[in-house]
């Protein structure tokens, strides 16, 4: 059964080629966008969203973004385009060629930002470099870049950058197993976010703290912060609120799996599936199915896993429609 689970990720990617409501919405907005600034922002979002499902198409939109930024001769937009390129390549931190591409884009963005006294953009480039070097991992380099980003953010008194810098420090120190410094930085980020009553920043901070406590196996605290993160979602007025909530429910289910409370994990995975079904997004149902299968395997309950697979006709139909019905028999 465990061999079956990774194929769900493949199905997810294949299905997204044909149905990606987020990308479709962004493309509709792009068709109506008149300003170069907005077009570059939307092209960046589209290319990043497509990286997990259709890299050639992602490359096409990224090339269009770079071209429009270059034609504008606006240095800020040119740097923004390079930062977007670095971000999308950083998604594949496990592939050496994409790591090198990401580093190259961030360095180009940093050089151009410095030449034009774009301090905010310089800080973003430093944070991007810190993140990609953390994934290599080269933690000392990552910390050095974070330090430079924090210095700029402090001089600008930019709360969003400060929160990002402290959160990056928290992540890096957690990777270094220095949990005291990790927690201190995560809490510093949260304090700024809460003082500003910024729901988007608070949501990120709560999510980071949830991961921190899960890492040290304090699952009740992790669940508390995950719930706080979920509570901020409606306040953000995001156009993708229901999609993000599906992901939140799945994340909560994973925390309960780690806690070995399989009754509650089943509840959250089922809630995730039902919400995805209510918005007619079959793709988003797949992580919930994967979570249910994984928890049965982790709980050493292969019969329940088999019964679950047999009871979910929509899952079996999805697999069959993808032309891989043989996997059902194999499982």
């Amino acid at each position: 059964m465990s061999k079956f689970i990774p194929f769900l990720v493949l199905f997810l990617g294949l299905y997204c080629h044909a149905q990606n409501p987020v990308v479709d919405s962004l493309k509709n907005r792009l068709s109506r966008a008149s300003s170069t600034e907005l077009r570059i922002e939307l092209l960046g979002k589209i290319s990043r969203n497509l990286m997990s499902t259709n890299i050639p198409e992602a490359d096409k939109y990224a090339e269009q973004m770079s071209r429009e930024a270059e034609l504008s001769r606006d240095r800020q937009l040119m740097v923004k385009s390079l930062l977007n390129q670095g971000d999308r390549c950083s998604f594949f931190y496990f592939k050496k060629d994409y790591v090198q591409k990401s580093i190259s884009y961030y360095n180009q963005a940093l050089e151009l930002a410095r030449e034009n006294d774009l301090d905010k953009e310089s800080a973003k480039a430093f944070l991007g470099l810190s993140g990609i070097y953390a994934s290599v991992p080269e933690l000392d380099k990552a910390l050095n870049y974070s330090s430079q980003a924090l210095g700029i953010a402090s001089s600008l008194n930019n709360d969003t950058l400060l929160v990002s810098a402290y959160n990056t420090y928290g992540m890096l120190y957690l990777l270094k197993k220095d949990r005291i410094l990790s927690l201190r930085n995560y809490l510093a980020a949260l304090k700024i976010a809460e003082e500003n009553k910024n729901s988007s920043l608070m949501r990120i901070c709560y999510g980071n703290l949830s991961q921190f406590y899960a890492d040290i196996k304090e699952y009740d605290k992790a669940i508390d912060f995950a719930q706080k993160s979920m509570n901020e979602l409606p306040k953000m007025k995001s156009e993708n609120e229901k999609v993000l909530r599906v992901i939140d429910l799945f994340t909560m289910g994973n925390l309960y799996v780690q806690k070995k409370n399989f009754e509650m994990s089943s509840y959250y995975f089922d809630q995730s599936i039902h919400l995805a079904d209510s918005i007619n997004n079959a793709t988003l149902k797949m992580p919930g199915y994967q979570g249910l299968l994984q928890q049965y395997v982790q709980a050493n309950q292969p019969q329940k896993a088999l019964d679950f697979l047999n009871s979910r006709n929509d899952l079996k139909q999805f697999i069959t429609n993808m032309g891989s019905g043989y996997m059902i028999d194999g499982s």
Side-chain angles (χ1 to χ4, degrees):
M1 178 64 72
S2 60
K3 292 181 180 179
F4 170 75
I5 294 170
F7 283 92
L8 288 178
V9 178
L10 173 63
F11 292 145
L12 181 62
L14 291 171
Y15 191 80
C16 282
H17 282 305
Q19 179 178 346
N20 193 326
V22 174
V23 170
D24 289 343
S25 174
L26 290 169
K27 287 180 179 179
N28 286 333
R29 290 177 60 192
L30 177 64
S31 67
R32 301 191 303 271
S34 56
S35 72
T36 303
E37 183 176 3
L38 180 56
R39 287 183 59 80
I40 287 173
E41 179 184 344
L42 292 170
L43 286 165
K45 287 181 178 180
I46 292 170
S47 66
R48 290 196 301 273
N49 271 279
L50 287 169
M51 285 301 287
S52 62
T53 61
N54 191 335
I55 292 177
E57 190 177 5
D59 290 342
K60 182 186 74 172
Y61 281 97
E63 288 170 8
Q64 184 180 344
M65 173 189 65
S66 297
R67 183 170 57 252
E68 294 202 17
E70 187 68 26
L71 289 170
S72 76
R73 306 312 298 156
D74 184 317
R75 298 300 189 268
Q76 196 168 31
L77 293 181
M78 292 162 72
V79 173
K80 184 174 184 178
S81 172
L82 289 166
L83 290 171
N84 278 328
Q85 291 277 31
D87 289 345
R88 77 183 189 96
C89 290
S90 71
F91 295 166
F92 293 98
Y93 60 86
F94 47 87
K95 292 186 176 182
K96 188 175 180 179
D97 56 335
Y98 276 95
V99 169
Q100 293 306 315
K101 286 180 183 179
S102 180
I103 291 172
S104 176
Y105 282 125
Y106 285 137
N107 277 324
Q108 291 177 62
L110 178 60
E111 182 179 359
L112 187 58
R114 282 175 152 178
E115 288 174 354
N116 293 275
D117 298 321
L118 299 171
D119 291 337
K120 180 179 175 182
E121 285 74 16
S122 293
K124 289 182 177 180
F126 279 129
L127 288 172
L129 286 165
S130 179
I132 194 65
Y133 274 109
S135 68
V136 174
E138 292 186 30
L139 299 183
D140 289 335
K141 272 190 178 181
L143 281 167
N144 178 54
Y145 285 126
S146 288
S147 177
Q148 294 183 72
L150 181 59
I152 295 173
S154 299
S155 67
L156 294 175
N157 198 26
N158 185 305
D159 289 336
T160 300
L161 283 177
L162 283 169
V163 169
S164 296
Y166 281 124
N167 274 328
T168 302
Y169 264 123
M171 177 265 293
L172 292 173
Y173 281 119
L174 188 59
L175 290 172
K176 288 174 75 73
K177 305 298 181 185
D178 190 335
R179 293 186 174 93
I180 293 176
L181 280 178
S182 175
L183 182 59
R184 185 180 298 168
N185 280 279
Y186 278 146
L187 291 175
L190 178 60
K191 182 180 179 182
I192 296 170
E194 289 183 334
E195 286 175 350
N196 283 272
K197 296 181 171 59
N198 187 315
S199 291
S200 296
L201 294 179
M202 288 163 63
R203 177 172 161 80
I204 293 170
C205 292
Y206 290 141
N208 286 336
L209 283 163
S210 176
Q211 292 173 16
F212 172 85
Y213 282 111
D215 186 74
I216 62 174
K217 296 180 171 51
E218 291 193 29
Y219 297 119
D220 283 321
K221 283 188 176 181
I223 290 166
D224 289 341
F225 278 111
Q227 185 61 57
K228 287 186 175 184
S229 179
M230 289 177 68
N231 293 343
E232 294 303 316
L233 180 57
K235 303 174 188 177
M236 292 167 51
K237 307 298 182 184
S238 169
E239 61 183 10
N240 299 318
E241 181 178 333
K242 288 186 177 180
V243 172
L244 293 173
R245 184 162 180 81
V246 170
I247 297 169
D248 282 352
L249 291 166
F250 170 73
T251 300
M252 189 71 87
N254 271 334
L255 289 173
Y256 274 107
V257 169
Q258 294 176 66
K259 192 183 175 184
K260 299 192 184 304
N261 184 336
F262 299 117
E263 181 179 350
M264 287 303 299
S265 62
S266 295
Y267 168 80
Y268 278 106
F269 288 141
D270 274 326
Q271 288 294 304
S272 174
I273 293 166
H274 292 328
L275 181 56
D277 194 42
S278 74
I279 58 176
N280 298 315
N281 193 321
T283 299
L284 279 175
K285 293 164 68 175
M286 294 303 106
Y289 288 137
Q290 181 180 351
L292 286 166
L293 284 168
Q294 283 180 324
Q295 73 168 21
Y296 292 137
V297 172
Q298 187 168 328
N300 196 24
Q301 297 176 325
Q303 185 60 51
K304 279 193 174 183
L306 181 60
D307 292 343
F308 166 76
L309 183 60
N310 285 330
S311 69
R312 297 286 178 157
N313 290 327
D314 51 351
L315 175 59
K316 291 196 288 186
Q317 188 61 51
F318 177 82
I319 295 172
T320 301
N321 289 345
M322 295 303 299
S324 299
Y326 65 90
M327 287 185 60
I328 298 171
D329 294 332
S331 299

